[in-house]
Amino acid sequence: MSAHTFEPVRSDTCTPGRAARELGMLRGEFDLALQLGHVRTVPDEGGGGGRLVERAEIDRLRAQDGFPDTLRDRVRVVGTADGAEVMDISAGRFTRLARLGLLVPAKVYVNRYGAVVWLYLTEELKHFAAAAENTQLLKGRTPETLRGQLAEGVDLRARNWRMRQLGCLLRHADDPWARAGALAALLPPVEVADIVEDPYERAWVNRLRPALPGQTLAGTSFAHVAEQITTAQDTDEIEWLRSDLAHSVEEARALSPAPRPAGRRTGPTTRPTARPIPPMARTVTAPVEPMPTPVKPTESADGPTETADGSTAGAAEPLVRAVTPHRIPGGGRAPERRHASSRVRPAPVPVPRFPGAGPTSTRSTRRLRALLRRGTPRPAEVRASVVEPGRRSATET
């Protein structure tokens, strides 16, 4: 090999997936071994929030006698039928013992039919069956007190499973805030908000709140079943968790306060200097100009001027008409009143036919239109009158 070739330095820790492969275990078996404390882990210092397995721990487990069968036997689980066979009892008696809380389940899942399946450790079932004090429960008649509890509908399987999960979470908790998060994982959010009133502390507790195995069903049709399993239901259980949560939060608050957003540092606000208000300027009212009196149009010598639309300019009435005062019976004279008549629109100025020709007389225009209506040839004087200015006619040349 080349002198420059070197082997990478092996890390002191590895991920859970790699540790499971090196120990020859399935991932489900390895996760259960972590929960039961058979495999020790350390927190991930990289900020991921997970757990890592040290190489020394892997070497310790590999050095045990009968590895890997001994480690896998410690995490082997069975259902109700197989568990009854291991204990050499009927499946009905096995279910009654589990409902009374004498057999603690280690895993739980909801199958495709919506039924809850409880799994138990084979090693614990063998120890329970081998104990001499449990012979009456396995072979004889169930005591009367236990039969009364079963008649009332007692079922402690979910509660015992939660307590096992809580013990696992508390073992992995490194500080009081992490313990508070583990306790909050089993309580409803309303109860957590009632105990941890500060919003920043509550947000920090929820961030450290680990996810339980059954909570992965959120959003499915069996989410309500998983919620009943993973959340405390009994009153005494809720009160016990609330008390422990309040104590953990007080201890954590005294040790290290919850992180809070840094406040913005702003400089002192400078207020503008007050200035005196200037006196109001004197208002000058402009004089009102009188309304101009309309001038009556003068009539030409030929009579009233006729506009292009046929109306006469001389027929327009003045805008203000004087009313002759009359006497009031009994003496006196009535005041003079003026009535405003309707305004008369002024006559439009005639527009020349040809550009630059200037205004033409109204009488010539009427004569030309009359000749055009009769279809007779225009006289020479008419033709000469319509010639554009600046152009000379043929007769003149």
Side-chain angles (χ1 to χ4, degrees):
M1 297 178 62
S2 174
H4 299 285
T5 304
F6 64 94
E7 294 182 2
V9 180
R10 191 177 68 172
S11 176
D12 294 337
T13 59
C14 61
T15 60
R18 183 171 186 111
R21 290 192 299 268
E22 294 189 8
L23 294 176
M25 304 175 64
L26 300 177
R27 185 56 189 270
E29 295 175 345
F30 184 79
D31 292 342
L32 184 57
L34 293 179
Q35 295 177 12
L36 299 176
H38 298 326
V39 180
R40 295 189 292 264
T41 60
V42 294
D44 185 5
E45 297 180 356
R51 310 288 298 185
L52 298 177
V53 183
E54 293 181 340
R55 289 287 179 179
E57 179 66 12
I58 296 178
D59 296 339
R60 182 186 70 84
L61 295 174
R62 293 172 67 94
Q64 292 179 354
D65 295 337
F67 176 84
D69 295 336
T70 53
L71 182 60
R72 300 187 66 177
D73 290 342
R74 295 167 67 181
V75 295
R76 181 173 289 111
V77 292
V78 292
T80 301
D82 296 339
E85 185 177 354
V86 169
M87 299 179 65
D88 195 16
I89 58 178
S90 63
R93 184 182 288 269
F94 184 91
T95 302
R96 289 193 295 270
L97 294 176
R99 291 179 57 186
L100 290 171
L102 301 176
L103 304 176
V104 181
K107 294 182 66 176
V108 60
Y109 69 93
V110 181
N111 61 11
R112 59 180 179 177
Y113 303 106
V116 181
V117 180
W118 301 98
L119 300 178
Y120 305 86
L121 291 172
T122 305
E123 187 178 16
E124 292 182 356
L125 297 181
K126 291 179 179 180
H127 289 168
F128 186 88
E133 61 271 13
N134 297 330
T135 304
Q136 182 66 22
L137 297 175
L138 298 177
K139 301 299 182 181
R141 184 180 177 84
T142 305
E144 186 67 26
T145 54
L146 299 180
R147 291 202 305 268
Q149 294 179 9
L150 293 174
E152 294 176 359
V154 174
D155 191 352
L156 300 178
R157 289 176 291 184
R159 180 170 180 172
N160 289 339
W161 177 83
R162 288 192 294 269
M163 293 299 102
R164 185 190 288 271
Q165 296 295 320
L166 179 60
C168 172
L169 296 177
L170 292 179
R171 280 195 302 269
H172 293 164
D174 301 326
D175 57 351
W177 284 116
R179 288 194 294 271
L183 293 168
L186 304 179
L187 284 172
V190 178
E191 302 292 342
V192 177
D194 190 18
I195 295 299
V196 189
E197 298 181 356
D198 187 85
Y200 299 105
E201 294 180 351
R202 184 166 61 251
W204 186 244
V205 169
N206 291 332
R207 182 178 180 180
L208 300 176
R209 179 176 182 170
L212 298 178
Q215 294 177 348
T216 56
L217 297 176
T220 62
S221 57
F222 307 132
H224 65 285
V225 180
E227 184 180 359
Q228 293 179 357
I229 297 173
T230 59
T231 307
Q233 303 294 331
D234 301 333
T235 305
D236 57 341
E237 181 184 5
I238 294 176
E239 292 298 331
W240 176 72
L241 292 174
R242 283 170 56 95
S243 177
D244 282 7
L245 177 60
H247 178 71
S248 299
V249 170
E250 291 180 1
E251 182 182 358
R253 188 185 298 116
L255 183 62
S256 60
R260 298 173 180 271
R264 296 182 179 179
R265 295 183 178 180
T266 58
T269 58
T270 58
R271 297 182 179 180
T273 307
R275 297 181 179 180
I277 301 176
M280 299 181 60
R282 181 176 300 176
T283 304
V284 179
T285 305
V288 181
E289 298 181 359
M291 185 175 180
T293 305
V295 180
K296 184 176 181 181
T298 57
E299 297 183 0
S300 60
D302 298 336
T305 305
E306 185 177 358
T307 60
D309 56 353
S311 60
T312 57
E317 297 181 1
L319 297 179
V320 180
R321 179 168 53 90
V323 180
T324 305
H326 59 278
R327 295 187 177 277
I328 302 176
R333 187 176 183 180
E336 182 178 351
R337 293 181 300 174
R338 294 179 179 269
H339 299 275
S341 61
S342 59
R343 290 176 177 267
V344 178
R345 201 171 176 183
V349 180
V351 180
R353 177 178 295 270
F354 302 101
T360 57
S361 61
T362 307
R363 191 167 302 177
S364 302
T365 305
R366 291 183 58 191
R367 184 177 180 185
L368 178 58
R369 287 187 297 179
L371 292 175
L372 290 177
R373 283 196 300 267
R374 287 182 295 185
T376 56
R378 290 180 293 178
E381 61 273 17
V382 176
R383 288 199 303 267
S385 63
V386 297
V387 176
E388 297 181 6
R391 292 184 58 184
R392 303 180 61 185
S393 61
T395 56
E396 295 178 359
T397 58

